[in-house]
């Protein structure tokens, strides 16, 4: 009985470590339809994890320390506050106001983080995560966005923290500005590697260390100072036997857990963007780290990827929703019910930053939510965007979307098409209006920036309100359908149906 209990606990621990998960796609500016930088990520943890949308004002002459425990965060991490903090946005956890998920700062630097990844167990024994005072996804957006003037500076700052203080967990982070986009991965507690995304390619990952190549002489790479030496000294890399250094092979986990939980998501993304790729769905270590899309990538392409649940194509038999809910499906899809938000970041350097940097954000499960644009130049959010807890309510933005999604999941095959079609139309109509708005904004911006700013805020707030109103209407529509279904199934009438 004792042995069985130990095994059961180990299995539960392994499952729990996989449960807090995300999916990330990064697209270089030469691989997109309009030349913008594009990043997409889902944040997956718990459907009860209400998200707030927050604007952090700029601050002058700060002293003291940023302390995670001031907000009851994951570790006792501390780091000096920047003397002059930049204005930045985040989408944090309701309980701690940490783990900001996504945001831009006033310098045009954007962060999306984090992707939970896992180092190989034998390497962690020698250089474990600093679970007491190390930096985690709770801290990364606030620490980087408050001070970084460029994406490269953000990478360097995070790298310095990992090397000197340590990572409290394994993570991957995207940093972008108006010139380049980087992806950063931890190895062990104090080792890391970051690579600039090639201009004409994309990167996809799902909870696994994916970076491989490292050229210390190239400006396209940054890494911990003794990255290769540490792996060599500790027997994880043999230059004579292994040939070219491979970061993923030397540092990150690659076992049966990856075969069904992680590999299928990356396979699906690469199959969507590069259909000609022929590869075994469980051969993740050999998937290309970067690949060229066969057609230029759009914001809509990334929305579709974030909503994907194997509903079509070669993995259709693994769809866990369409043919009845199957929580025991072996292949984890990209879109899961416990996604608490997903987003697409777009950076268009040729435009004024106020509209050039935009986040398309969907609260809750992407497949049953709507992507609403939030422009960099938006001055403030409505009060209820900063509300919501782990208990359903009638005010917060988060629960407006989550309640509809929960109701739809009671009969996904019948109800999902109603919601998805309505949101599809809304997004298409909004895109048309958005194009017209941006054209008008650019004309006005040249002559009167303040007038353009008011126009931007009025337009963005209107779209946000329309998305909420549509969600309220859909909730009532779906409630009506379910009420009819339940009444028909439980009518209990006499033969004449008069009483």
């Amino acid at each position: 009985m004792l042995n069985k209990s130990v095994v059961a606990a180990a299995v539960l621990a392994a499952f729990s470590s996989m449960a807090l998960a995300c999916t990330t796609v990064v697209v270089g500016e030469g691989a997109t339809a309009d030349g913008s930088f594009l990043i997409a990520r889902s944040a997956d943890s718990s459907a009860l994890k209400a998200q707030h949308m927050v604007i952090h004002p700029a601050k002058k002459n700060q002293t003291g320390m940023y302390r995670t425990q001031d907000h009851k965060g994951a570790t006792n991490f501390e780091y000096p506050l920047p003397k002059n903090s930049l204005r930045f946005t985040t989408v944090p956890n309701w309980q701690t106001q940490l783990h900001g998920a996504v945001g831009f700062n006033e310098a045009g630097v954007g962060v999306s983080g984090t992707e939970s990844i896992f180092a190989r167990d034998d390497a962690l024994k020698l250089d474990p995560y600093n679970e007491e005072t190390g930096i985690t996804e709770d801290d990364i957006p606030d620490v980087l966005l408050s001070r970084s003037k460029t994406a490269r500076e953000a990478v360097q700052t995070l790298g310095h923290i990992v090397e000197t203080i340590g990572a409290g967990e394994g993570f991957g982070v995207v940093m972008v500005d108006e010139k380049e986009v980087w992806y950063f991965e931890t190895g062990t507690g104090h080792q890391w590697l970051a690579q600039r995304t090639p201009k004409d390619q994309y990167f996809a990952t799902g909870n696994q260390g994916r970076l491989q190549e490292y050229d210390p002489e190239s400006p396209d790479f940054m890494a911990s100072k003794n990255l290769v030496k540490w792996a060599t000294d500790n027997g994880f890399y043999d230059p004579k036997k292994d040939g070219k250094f491979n970061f993923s092979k030397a540092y990150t986990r690659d076992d049966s857990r990856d075969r069904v939980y992680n590999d299928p998501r990356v396979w699906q993304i690469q199959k969507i963007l590069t259909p000609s790729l022929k590869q075994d769905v469980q051969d993740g270590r050999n998937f290309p780290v970067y690949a060229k899309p066969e057609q230029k990538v759009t914001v809509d392409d990334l929305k579709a990827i974030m909503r994907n649940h194997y509903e079509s194509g070669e993995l259709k038999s693994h769809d866990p929703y369409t043919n009845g809910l199957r929580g025991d499906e072996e292949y984890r899809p990209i879109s899961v019910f416990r996604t608490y938000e997903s987003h697409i970041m777009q950076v268009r350097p040729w435009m004024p930053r106020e509209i050039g940097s935009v986040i398309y954000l969907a609260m809750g499960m992407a497949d049953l939510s709507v992507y609403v644009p939030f422009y960099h130049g938006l001055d403030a959010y409505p009060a209820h965007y900063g509300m919501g807890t782990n208990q359903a309510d009638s005010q917060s933005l988060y629960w407006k979307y989550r309640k509809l999604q929960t109701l739809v999941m009671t009969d996904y095959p019948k109800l999902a098409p109603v919601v998805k079609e309505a949101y599809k139309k809304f997004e298409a109509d909004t895109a048309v209006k958005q194009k017209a708005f941006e054209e008008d904004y650019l004309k006005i911006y040249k002559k009167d920036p303040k007038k353009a700013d008011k126009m931007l805020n009025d337009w963005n707030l209107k779209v946000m309100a329309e998305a909420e109103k549509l969600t309220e209407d859909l909730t009532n529509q779906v409630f009506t359908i379910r009420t009819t279904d339940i009444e028909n199934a439980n009518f209990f009438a006499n033969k004449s149906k008069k009483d």
Side-chain angles (χ1 to χ4, degrees):
M1 289 297 293
L2 178 61
N3 288 340
K4 288 182 178 179
S5 297
V6 171
V7 171
V11 171
L12 180 60
F15 177 78
S16 298
S17 71
M18 294 191 302
L20 306 180
C22 306
T23 306
T24 300
V25 185
V26 184
V27 190
E29 72 277 25
T32 63
D34 62 357
S36 62
F37 296 96
L38 289 177
I39 298 105
R41 189 173 68 87
S42 66
D44 314 327
S45 175
S46 169
L48 297 172
K49 194 174 181 178
Q51 299 295 285
H52 294 181
M53 298 187 69
V54 177
I55 296 176
H56 304 260
K59 296 180 180 179
K60 300 291 185 182
N61 298 314
Q62 290 190 123
T63 58
M65 303 289 285
Y66 165 94
R67 294 184 177 89
T68 307
Q69 279 308 305
D70 288 347
H71 304 277
K72 296 182 172 58
T75 69
N76 291 309
F77 173 76
E78 296 184 355
Y79 200 67
L81 291 167
K83 181 179 179 181
N84 297 313
S85 176
L86 302 170
R87 178 188 185 271
F88 65 98
T89 62
T90 57
V91 185
N93 182 341
W94 72 271
Q95 198 164 21
T96 63
Q97 295 302 301
L98 296 174
H99 188 195
V102 62
F104 282 108
N105 69 18
E106 63 181 274
V109 175
V111 169
S112 177
T114 69
E115 181 82 26
S116 299
I117 62 175
F118 305 93
R120 51 190 292 176
D121 295 335
D122 50 359
L124 279 179
K125 287 181 181 179
L126 300 176
D127 181 22
Y129 298 130
N130 179 0
E131 296 180 357
E132 183 177 346
T133 62
I135 191 168
T136 71
E137 60 186 10
D138 273 1
D139 317 299
I140 290 169
D142 289 58
V143 170
L144 298 185
L145 290 173
S146 63
R147 72 188 70 225
S148 302
K149 301 291 181 63
T150 66
R152 189 176 290 266
E153 181 186 348
V155 172
Q156 292 168 337
T157 299
L158 183 55
H160 174 74
I161 292 171
V162 170
E163 285 184 70
T164 57
I165 301 174
E169 60 191 354
F171 51 73
V173 185
V174 186
M175 292 90 143
V176 64
D177 60 22
E178 291 160 357
K179 294 182 179 179
E180 54 189 9
V181 58
W182 289 79
Y183 192 72
F184 180 114
E185 287 186 345
T186 54
T188 51
H190 297 83
Q191 302 294 339
W192 62 277
L193 173 66
Q195 184 173 358
R196 182 165 62 180
T197 303
K199 180 178 180 179
D200 61 345
Q201 298 179 53
Y202 68 90
F203 169 85
T205 183
N207 301 122
Q208 53 189 175
R210 296 262 301 131
L211 297 180
Q212 295 184 14
E213 183 181 353
Y214 173 47
D215 180 357
E217 303 301 319
S218 170
D220 295 333
F221 294 90
M222 288 186 269
S224 44
K225 294 180 180 63
N226 64 340
L227 180 72
V228 179
K229 184 178 185 301
W230 190 92
T232 305
D233 291 347
N234 290 287
F236 301 116
Y237 170 57
D238 184 338
K240 294 181 180 179
K241 178 182 175 183
D242 300 329
K244 197 172 184 180
F245 176 75
N246 184 312
F247 174 75
S248 178
K249 186 176 180 180
Y251 280 99
T252 63
R253 188 190 76 188
D254 181 44
D255 61 26
S256 59
R257 290 168 287 187
D258 296 284
R259 301 294 78 81
V260 295
Y261 195 77
N262 303 329
D263 291 353
R265 283 180 282 157
V266 177
W267 184 96
Q268 183 76 348
I269 293 167
Q270 293 188 341
K271 194 65 177 177
I272 290 169
L273 297 180
T274 314
S276 63
L277 274 177
K278 305 295 182 185
Q279 49 197 5
D280 188 303
V281 70
Q282 294 189 7
D283 192 25
R285 180 70 78 189
N286 292 313
F287 294 169
V289 177
Y290 293 93
K292 290 186 178 182
E294 291 178 10
Q295 293 187 357
K296 299 288 187 176
V297 181
T298 67
V299 169
D300 284 343
D301 291 333
L302 294 185
K303 290 178 184 177
I305 285 173
M306 290 293 103
R307 288 171 167 143
N308 188 274
H309 49 88
Y310 310 126
E311 64 273 21
S312 62
E314 295 177 45
L315 301 184
K316 189 174 182 179
S317 63
H318 294 279
D319 181 351
Y321 310 137
T322 305
N323 299 310
L325 301 187
R326 299 193 345 260
D328 60 349
E329 164 55 47
E330 190 178 33
Y331 284 9
R332 198 220 110 146
I334 296 167
S335 183
V336 291
F337 181 68
R338 59 183 172 83
T339 298
Y340 50 84
E341 65 85 17
S342 68
H343 54 264
I344 297 157
M345 306 177 76
Q346 184 177 34
V347 178
R348 299 173 291 182
W350 62 91
M351 287 187 169
R353 189 171 293 157
E354 289 81 356
I355 62 168
S357 296
V358 57
I359 296 172
Y360 297 84
L361 191 138
M363 283 291 184
M365 182 183 188
D367 184 50
L368 297 175
S369 191
V370 61
Y371 283 94
V372 179
F374 293 87
Y375 281 108
H376 187 280
L378 185 62
D379 292 332
Y381 302 127
H384 64 290
Y385 278 54
M387 297 179 181
T389 68
N390 61 346
Q391 302 290 318
D393 64 63
S394 300
Q395 288 184 293
S396 69
L397 177 76
Y398 180 84
W399 279 105
K400 284 187 180 182
Y401 288 102
R402 179 57 76 187
K403 286 195 286 189
L404 173 60
Q405 294 157 18
T406 301
L407 186 59
V408 170
M409 290 296 275
T410 64
D411 189 351
Y412 183 94
K414 182 174 184 176
L415 302 175
V418 176
V419 172
K420 289 160 70 82
E421 186 60 34
Y423 280 154
K424 180 180 179 181
K425 184 177 185 304
F426 177 86
E427 289 178 359
D429 291 346
T430 300
V432 174
K433 296 174 185 176
Q434 194 173 357
K435 183 178 179 181
F437 153 71
E438 290 179 353
E439 290 174 353
D440 291 342
Y441 176 91
L442 291 172
K443 293 175 184 176
I444 296 172
Y445 180 82
K446 295 177 181 178
K447 300 177 182 178
D448 192 341
K450 287 187 177 181
K451 184 178 179 181
D453 177 68
K454 183 180 184 305
M455 177 185 174
L456 182 155
N457 278 269
D458 289 346
W459 188 90
N460 213 153
L461 290 169
K462 183 173 183 291
V463 169
M464 291 153 59
E466 289 171 347
E468 288 183 58
K469 178 62 167 58
L470 173 59
T471 301
E472 292 168 353
D473 292 345
L474 284 169
T475 301
N476 289 331
Q477 183 179 348
V478 173
F479 260 115
T480 301
I481 295 170
R482 291 303 284 135
T483 301
T484 303
D485 290 343
I486 294 169
E487 181 179 71
N488 288 340
N490 301 273
F491 199 81
F492 295 114
N494 62 19
K495 291 182 178 180
S496 63
K497 294 188 177 181
K498 288 184 178 180
D499 55 20

